[in-house]
Amino acid sequence: MGIRLPTWVWIGAVALSCVAGMVNVVGFLGFEHQAVSHMTGSTSQLGMALAQGDWRAVGHLWGLLIAFSLGAMVSGLLIQDSALQLGRRYGVALALESLLLLAAIPLFKQHQIWGALAAAMACGLQNAMATTFSGAVVRTTHLSGMFTDLGIGLGHLLRGLPLQVRRLTLSGLIISGFLAGGMIGAWLFVRWQYDALLAPALLTGLTGLGYVSYQQWARWRR
């Protein structure tokens, strides 16, 4: 795997995984104690709620799954491809994610499930913005695939097979970014409560504006 990833892919993957880590921790520490950046656990909880006849929980969990999917749908409408490539409307997608996170803050403060739904939609939008670059999987809101890739790489190493160094390095960086985001999110939540979401909202918003500005500057130079 000798293809070199552009610097913007490395930076973007780590930054976005950090954002997802922060948002997910706020969801966990909030009044619903609900993950919002990945839907595996929420789907399991939905199964339990259906079996137990807990219709309030069923409604909330279905809402989360739908919100995450709607975020991915919006990303698909904006970007229209799963492969990372400069020139696409990532800036618009990041700005929308920022607005969703900002909208979630007052809703969370009012203990409304709509706060978790807005945060889940933001995560779905982010996760769908790009899924691959030159064969390297870029998923920034959940880590099962990243740990799977690391395990496969270890198995290849033990068998003496060639290592996919680029893919494994990217997986390690995304895991580290998500972990760092979780630590930062927990630290901010203790001090700011739901206003902790201002940090990922500002990060995505400023990144989106920076990306749009870069595109305009690049067009101006042509």
Side-chain angles (χ1 to χ4, degrees), residues 22-36 108 197:
M22 282 189 273
V23 175
N24 202 46
V25 160
V26 172
F28 266 124
L29 294 176
F31 73 100
E32 286 283 344
H33 305 294
Q34 181 65 57
V36 294
F108 268 129
L197 288 176

Side-chain angles (χ1 to χ4, degrees), residues 6 12 34 36 43 63 65 71 91 95 104 132-133 146-147 160 178 194-195 207 218:
Q34 181 65 57
V36 294
T43 304
L65 299 177
T132 60
F133 188 91
M146 303 298 105
F147 280 109
F178 195 94
Y194 293 114
D195 286 333
T207 302

Side-chain angles (χ1 to χ4, degrees), residues 65-78 100 117 120-129:
L65 299 177
I66 292 170
F68 190 93
S69 299
L70 285 175
M73 181 190 74
V74 171
S75 178
L77 287 170
L78 287 172
L100 285 166
L117 299 185
M121 188 173 179
C123 289
L125 193 158
Q126 175 184 307
N127 200 51
M129 276 196 296

Side-chain angles (χ1 to χ4, degrees), residues 4-104:
R4 185 178 178 183
L5 286 170
T7 302
W8 67 272
V9 175
W10 296 108
I11 296 172
V14 174
L16 290 177
S17 62
C18 185
V19 164
M22 282 189 273
V23 175
N24 202 46
V25 160
V26 172
F28 266 124
L29 294 176
F31 73 100
E32 286 283 344
H33 305 294
Q34 181 65 57
V36 294
S37 75
H38 55 279
M39 296 294 105
T40 306
S42 298
T43 304
S44 296
Q45 288 178 302
L46 176 60
M48 290 189 294
L50 285 167
Q52 296 166 359
D54 186 348
W55 304 115
R56 176 182 176 275
V58 167
H60 286 184
L61 291 163
W62 266 124
L64 281 174
L65 299 177
I66 292 170
F68 190 93
S69 299
L70 285 175
M73 181 190 74
V74 171
S75 178
L77 287 170
L78 287 172
I79 297 170
Q80 302 171 8
D81 203 343
S82 62
L84 280 164
Q85 182 179 320
L86 280 175
R88 297 208 171 101
R89 288 183 284 185
Y90 297 121
V92 177
L94 287 168
L96 283 175
E97 180 180 357
S98 177
L99 290 175
L100 285 166
L101 292 174
L102 289 173

